Amino acid sequence: MSKVYEALKRAQQQGLGIQVDIPGELDGAEVFTAAPEASVREESPGVAARQEDPELRTIAMVVPPGSVALPWKGAVDLAASEQYRIIRTRIVQHPKRPKMLLITSAKSGDGKTVSAINIAGALALRDNANVLLIDADFRHKGLCEMLGLPGGLGLANLLDGSCALQEAIIRVEQYPNLYVLPAGVRGINPAELLDSEVWDSACAIIREHFDFVVLDVPPIASVADYELIQAKCDGVIVVIRPDHTDRTLCMRALELVPREKMMGVVLNCAYQWFLCRTHESYVYGQGAQAK
Ligand SMILES: Nc1ncnc2c1ncn2[C@@H]1O[C@H](COP(=O)(O)OP(=O)(O)OP(=O)(O)O)[C@@H](O)[C@H]1O
Ligand SMILES: [Mg+2]
């Protein structure tokens, strides 16, 4: 029986409220095997042999044409994909070895979801690095739509006990190392869902079985759920969009991120000339045409 199932079973036995439906015959341990830290060889998406795991939904994503998600697939954007690889390297080589990364911004529409998808995608290109991308923005859950994946069961259902982790996670067919946990369908307030022992134990289990966890979350301090998610993360990456992010809001938001968790900013929709001028920030160069 795989480690993740054992962990889920333990959580259930401890009465933490995670609903677990453990099949008698299951061997999916390889799916959640931790990767060596130093491995940086990239696999082409879809090329590597996949371990079959009938217990997880494996679904092919259908990224709409012209999308800025995953710029190394379909309409390849060399400049953007290179910038995401730089971000990846900075994350992987960060001295604090962050595992759970929260992608946020000062306000709606700055590019949190695009950045979370692309950072998770870049991390998942590494050989043997299992990456879980979580849509933890219950109010603006656009992540699955952007990837052309069905939403359905997800984090909210895991937290309210209406499904198990293995029922909610989607394996992305084209990306051997990428797993997605949709936001799910919620009946109660997200803050109540997250202010629970189930969230605590779910984080512990996820940490144990994935090399990186990337969370798409609401804007900084906008809602109570934000704080509850931030409390569990190792690092915060703030997305700034020069033509969109309000300067005052942005400065206030940056001050609210605990210093020890602040990893840096992603400058989304940066002009090409800015990319040539500076190497100080994490930059996503989409070029002037994307403005
Ligand atoms: N670099 C980019 N180039 C072109 N379009 C972009 C870029 N980044 C984001 N967008 C577009 O801007 C819109 C908002 O992006 P996104 O959904 O990622 O923002 P968000 O911060 O997650 O918003 P929300 O707070 O509503 O969830 C989307 O239509 C997205 O396709
Ligand atoms: Mg979003």
Side-chain angles (χ1 to χ4, degrees), residues 53-86:
D53 184 347
E55 300 308 318
L56 294 180
R57 295 187 279 171
T58 301
I59 299 175
M61 62 181 176
V62 186
V63 178
S67 168
V68 287
L70 305 172
W72 40 86
K73 280 195 76 69
V76 174
D77 181 333
L78 290 177
S81 48
E82 208 47 39
Q83 295 304 323
Y84 284 114
R85 286 188 171 95
I86 293 172

Side-chain angles (χ1 to χ4, degrees), residues 68 108-114 140 146 241 268-269 284 286:
V68 287
S108 178
D110 289 329
K112 295 180 289 299
T113 302
V114 166
H140 284 203
M146 224 177 256
R241 189 169 178 170
N268 190 22
C269 293
Y284 171 15
Q286 187 57 33

Side-chain angles (χ1 to χ4, degrees), residues 109 111-114 135 137 140-143 146 216-217:
K112 295 180 289 299
T113 302
V114 166
D135 187 351
D137 191 349
H140 284 203
K141 44 183 179 180
L143 193 145
M146 224 177 256
D216 178 19
V217 302

Side-chain angles (χ1 to χ4, degrees), residues 1-277:
M1 188 178 290
S2 78
K3 286 181 189 172
V4 77
Y5 279 85
E6 284 171 20
L8 282 165
K9 190 177 185 181
R10 253 198 327 273
Q12 188 189 39
Q13 284 166 347
Q14 287 163 3
L16 296 182
I18 296 179
Q19 180 189 319
V20 187
D21 179 18
I22 300 182
E25 294 291 321
L26 177 70
D27 185 11
E30 303 89 309
V31 176
F32 296 98
T33 304
E37 286 288 346
S39 176
V40 291
R41 184 168 65 86
E42 284 187 4
E43 292 278 355
S44 301
V47 171
R50 303 212 55 161
Q51 298 290 334
E52 289 308 314
D53 184 347
E55 300 308 318
L56 294 180
R57 295 187 279 171
T58 301
I59 299 175
M61 62 181 176
V62 186
V63 178
S67 168
V68 287
L70 305 172
W72 40 86
K73 280 195 76 69
V76 174
D77 181 333
L78 290 177
S81 48
E82 208 47 39
Q83 295 304 323
Y84 284 114
R85 286 188 171 95
I86 293 172
I87 294 172
R88 175 185 68 194
T89 304
R90 293 188 184 186
I91 291 169
V92 170
Q93 295 186 351
H94 197 281
K96 289 191 177 166
R97 299 258 173 211
K99 188 171 236 194
M100 284 187 80
L101 300 162
L102 185 152
I103 314 298
T104 186
S105 75
K107 66 178 226 186
S108 178
D110 289 329
K112 295 180 289 299
T113 302
V114 166
S115 303
I117 289 173
N118 290 344
I119 290 170
L123 286 165
L125 288 173
R126 295 170 75 233
D127 192 16
N128 289 329
N130 285 327
V131 179
L132 179 64
L133 173 60
I134 302 180
D135 187 351
D137 191 349
F138 296 108
R139 293 166 175 86
H140 284 203
K141 44 183 179 180
L143 193 145
C144 284
E145 194 180 329
M146 224 177 256
L147 290 176
L149 290 171
L153 295 175
L155 181 58
N157 306 91
L158 172 71
L159 296 177
D160 73 12
S162 60
C163 84
L165 187 57
Q166 68 271 27
E167 292 171 314
I169 288 179
I170 297 172
R171 301 182 73 181
V172 179
E173 194 172 296
Q174 298 96 327
Y175 273 69
N177 303 331
L178 184 60
Y179 299 78
V180 176
L181 179 58
V185 187
R186 67 181 169 90
I188 48 178
N189 187 288
E192 265 74 74
L193 287 174
L194 290 159
D195 195 3
S196 66
E197 287 184 5
V198 183
W199 172 234
D200 295 348
S201 68
C203 287
I205 292 165
I206 284 166
R207 267 180 187 281
E208 199 179 331
H209 298 285
F210 289 92
D211 301 294
F212 290 102
V213 183
V214 177
L215 294 107
D216 178 19
V217 302
I220 297 168
S222 58
V223 283
D225 2 335
Y226 175 84
E227 306 286 338
L228 293 160
I229 302 169
Q230 183 181 261
K232 289 286 164 204
C233 287
D234 308 317
V236 176
I237 295 177
V238 179
V239 180
I240 297 176
R241 189 169 178 170
D243 64 347
H244 183 270
T245 311
D246 177 274
R247 194 184 174 87
T248 313
L249 266 184
C250 179
M251 297 311 288
R252 201 178 304 147
L254 288 172
E255 281 167 14
L256 289 171
V257 178
R259 290 298 98 187
E260 70 280 6
K261 295 202 175 185
M262 182 67 183
M263 289 192 64
V265 302
V266 169
L267 197 57
N268 190 22
C269 293
Y271 282 115
Q272 207 66 43
W273 61 260
F274 184 85
L275 286 175
C276 303
R277 268 190 50 199

